[in-house]
Amino acid sequence: MTLIPHPDTAPLNLTCAVVTVSDTRTPETDRSGQIIQELLTRSGHDIGLYLIIPDQPLQIQAILPEISNQNQIKVLILNGGTGIAPRDNTYDALVPLLRITLPGFGELFRYLSYQEIGSRAMASRAIAGVYQNLLVFSLPGSTNAVKLALEKLILPEILHLVKQLNG
């Protein structure tokens, strides 16, 4: 049985930021960042900012206030750096800055990932939460992972979450 969340009554066009955390990707090779942008725009949302930043904790942390100060941007989607390799710093950089976390996002993402890739899903540290009034999602850098997260979790709930956040 497929459960469908209650519909949001009024459509809302959101301005989103997409940040790829990678030491090696360029705008030309950043397929995951391209997919995120494509799925958001196909759903009627705007891309207010797209960046690729190195997997450095201080640079990851510095991007949050920079983006949250741009009042038109309501959602930040990061991809990359959520594993357990020595250079995967995104999760550890984000967690202390989030004033609210959405543990259900990571739990559901890992459950859905498990159905696709098996037990390797346990290594994902995908997370979602709120920084000031900015809704933040942090995803693995794989194209399959970002597509799964957007199609199954983020896009169905993004309007509802932003409305809740803004009271």
Side-chain angles (χ1 to χ4, degrees):
M1 180 167 107
T2 301
L3 298 176
I4 300 173
H6 60 280
D8 289 301
T9 53
L12 182 62
N13 173 284
L14 299 173
T15 301
C16 304
V18 177
V19 175
T20 296
V21 179
S22 174
D23 294 328
T24 59
R25 292 191 183 166
T26 66
E28 296 76 33
T29 62
D30 182 21
R31 185 70 186 124
S32 293
Q34 294 165 4
I35 289 171
I36 295 168
Q37 292 177 79
E38 179 183 317
L39 291 172
L40 286 167
T41 55
R42 194 182 308 158
S43 296
H45 304 296
D46 297 321
I47 307 302
L49 179 69
Y50 166 66
L51 293 172
I52 298 175
I53 62 172
D55 201 339
Q56 299 282 338
L58 293 177
Q59 289 193 28
I60 296 165
Q61 290 177 334
I63 203 71
L64 291 172
E66 184 180 318
I67 292 173
S68 72
N69 287 335
Q70 298 181 35
N71 291 333
Q72 79 278 13
I73 296 178
K74 302 299 180 195
V75 179
L76 165 60
I77 301 177
L78 299 106
N79 75 96
T82 61
I84 61 168
R87 292 290 302 149
D88 289 335
N89 295 301
T90 307
Y91 177 89
D92 297 313
L94 288 179
V95 167
L97 300 180
L98 298 176
R99 69 177 176 88
I100 298 171
T101 59
L102 300 172
F105 173 78
E107 294 161 1
L108 287 168
F109 176 78
R110 282 180 284 281
Y111 170 75
L112 293 170
S113 294
Y114 177 78
Q115 293 176 330
E116 289 190 2
I117 65 169
S119 59
R120 285 193 178 180
M122 77 171 80
S124 170
R125 297 189 297 161
I127 189 171
V130 176
Y131 173 82
Q132 295 179 358
N133 279 340
L134 181 67
L135 185 60
V136 178
F137 294 95
S138 179
L139 313 175
S142 87
T143 56
N144 287 341
V146 299
K147 190 173 182 198
L148 174 73
L150 268 93
E151 290 177 345
K152 300 286 187 182
L153 298 172
I154 297 172
L155 290 173
E157 291 301 321
I158 194 172
L159 296 176
H160 178 71
L161 292 170
V162 168
K163 286 178 183 177
Q164 280 194 319
L165 186 58
N166 294 314

